[in-house]
Amino acid sequence: MMRELDKLDRAIVESLSPDARVSNRQIAESLGVSEGTVRARIKRMEEQKQLRITAVTNIDRFVDATLAYIWIEVERSDQTRDVARTLAAVSELGFVGVMLGRSDILAITMVKNTEHLASFVRQHISSVPGVRRTESSLGVNFLKHDYRMARIVS
């Protein structure tokens, strides 16, 4: 049974967000709980897929690649989930989400240049059954890229 994140769980996640290498002991001391409590809660959140601790690349350091946002419209709305699942299996896509608004799906990847983007879209996106049309844009200048987006907005 999955528990909802309580105040302590959220505080632990907030402590891990800037640097997931922080020790359980440090987190416990800052929150006034035992190290075992922190360890057990992190383990539970990982097991319930509420938390995943992973290394993240810093896109600001890539000199030969940029983020490409690919907005996808499907032919029929009942195809959206199937198209999204197919796209999620494409290893080069770092994000695939079903969206509200003008486009049905947003996919994000890294590309070297516009030619690379055009080739990628032709080979991996437009060829998927159910895709009606795509529109792409390239990230040019990132003023803020916070990987801690999963924080709950209060």
Side-chain angles (χ1 to χ4, degrees):
M1 180 171 132
M2 187 178 314
R3 282 186 41 212
E4 288 201 26
L5 299 181
D6 64 16
K7 189 176 179 179
L8 181 57
D9 292 333
R10 291 177 194 208
I12 291 169
V13 171
E14 191 70 27
S15 297
L16 289 166
S17 292
D19 183 357
R21 296 173 298 177
V22 64
S23 72
N24 292 344
R25 181 184 50 75
Q26 288 174 297
I27 295 171
E29 287 175 4
S30 71
L31 298 176
V33 297
S34 74
E35 186 177 347
T37 297
V38 171
R39 185 175 25 263
R41 285 185 176 240
I42 290 172
K43 182 179 179 193
R44 176 185 43 82
M45 288 187 283
E46 286 179 315
E47 287 172 350
Q48 294 180 353
K49 300 195 183 323
Q50 295 171 313
L51 173 69
R52 180 178 56 189
I53 297 174
T54 184
V56 178
T57 53
N58 185 349
I59 63 169
D60 294 335
R61 300 293 184 229
F62 283 95
V63 293
D64 61 344
T66 189
L67 279 177
Y69 300 84
I70 306 164
W71 302 92
I72 301 152
E73 287 181 26
V74 297
E75 292 172 355
R76 295 187 332 266
S77 60
D78 65 342
Q79 295 175 301
T80 303
R81 294 261 178 216
D82 289 335
V83 171
R85 281 189 199 101
T86 300
L87 293 173
V90 176
S91 62
E92 293 90 348
L93 292 173
F95 174 90
V96 175
V98 174
M99 310 302 282
L100 289 175
R102 184 173 169 194
S103 295
D104 301 303
I105 299 168
L106 170 61
I108 303 175
T109 190
M110 298 283 288
V111 295
K112 296 175 187 168
N113 53 41
T114 55
E115 289 177 32
H116 183 216
L117 174 59
S119 173
F120 179 82
V121 169
R122 276 194 306 276
Q123 292 175 11
H124 298 284
I125 309 289
S126 298
S127 62
V128 172
V131 171
R132 175 189 299 161
R133 98 180 199 36
T134 66
E135 182 176 324
S136 301
S137 56
L138 294 173
V140 177
N141 190 359
F142 299 100
L143 303 177
K144 181 177 182 179
H145 190 170
D146 190 345
Y147 296 101
R148 299 171 295 162
M149 292 186 304
R151 287 183 291 176
I152 307 300
V153 177
S154 50

